[in-house]
Amino acid sequence: MSQQTSKYVRFGVAVAAIVIAMTYLAYTGIVEGKSYYYNLKELRAQDTSVYAKHLRVSGFVQPGSIKQSGSHAEFVLTEEGLTMPVVYKGSEPPPDTFKDNAQALVIGSLGRDGVFHATELQAKCASRYAPQQPQEGAPAQPQSKGY
């Protein structure tokens, strides 16, 4: 093999190694970043493979169930008569909207003991985002025509 040919072979091997490494990194990033979204009813219907998945679960915070200590919280999600205990251990404290009856989205994994271990917590208080009701005696606001 000539010296010119061996340069092309070495260059080709280096390019192939880089392409393989980039493909591997992209694949593992996609697989590890993927999470499955369920409500409580859908989660209960899953098989045992759910314990190995990264999950996003939505529900409402059961009134009186919140026990918070710093950035850690324990509470119960409820929806359509189903409940699920949640242990949140995140790097940030729960948001200000995290209160009784708030809609919550927890991200993490389900333990075989039935407890959801959350690393992220998002909460939305429905009353906070409801349109403001006009006060009695106040003049009515004209409707916008949208342009």
Side-chain angles (χ1 to χ4, degrees):
M1 185 167 22
S2 72
Q3 191 175 20
Q4 187 71 14
T5 305
S6 89
K7 282 184 183 180
Y8 286 128
V9 169
R10 282 188 295 189
F11 181 73
V13 168
V15 168
I18 291 171
V19 168
I20 290 170
M22 296 298 285
T23 303
Y24 172 75
L25 290 174
Y27 175 75
T28 56
I30 289 170
V31 168
E32 290 189 17
K34 182 171 43 171
S35 64
Y36 296 86
Y37 178 83
Y38 297 109
N39 61 32
L40 292 179
K41 187 176 181 180
E42 294 168 339
L43 184 62
R44 298 277 187 227
Q46 298 299 311
D47 60 13
T48 58
S49 68
V50 75
Y51 299 117
K53 295 179 181 176
H54 190 254
L55 304 170
R56 304 176 88 147
V57 180
S58 68
F60 294 90
V61 179
Q62 187 176 54
S65 69
I66 299 173
K67 295 178 184 120
Q68 187 174 344
S69 173
S71 64
H72 302 300
E74 293 182 17
F75 58 98
V76 176
L77 277 184
T78 183
E79 186 176 49
E80 297 180 16
L82 299 172
T83 61
M84 180 178 65
V86 177
V87 174
Y88 167 70
K89 292 184 180 178
S91 57
E92 298 179 10
D96 293 339
T97 54
F98 178 66
K99 299 177 182 169
D100 289 347
N101 292 316
Q103 184 178 6
L105 176 70
V106 290
I107 302 169
S109 60
L110 181 63
R112 292 195 179 270
D113 57 356
V115 176
F116 191 87
H117 302 277
T119 55
E120 293 181 52
L121 170 64
Q122 299 173 3
K124 177 175 126 178
C125 179
S127 63
R128 186 173 182 164
Y129 301 102
Q132 193 174 23
Q133 300 296 324
Q135 297 176 353
E136 287 185 35
Q141 296 285 334
Q143 291 290 329
S144 172
K145 295 188 183 202
Y147 47 90

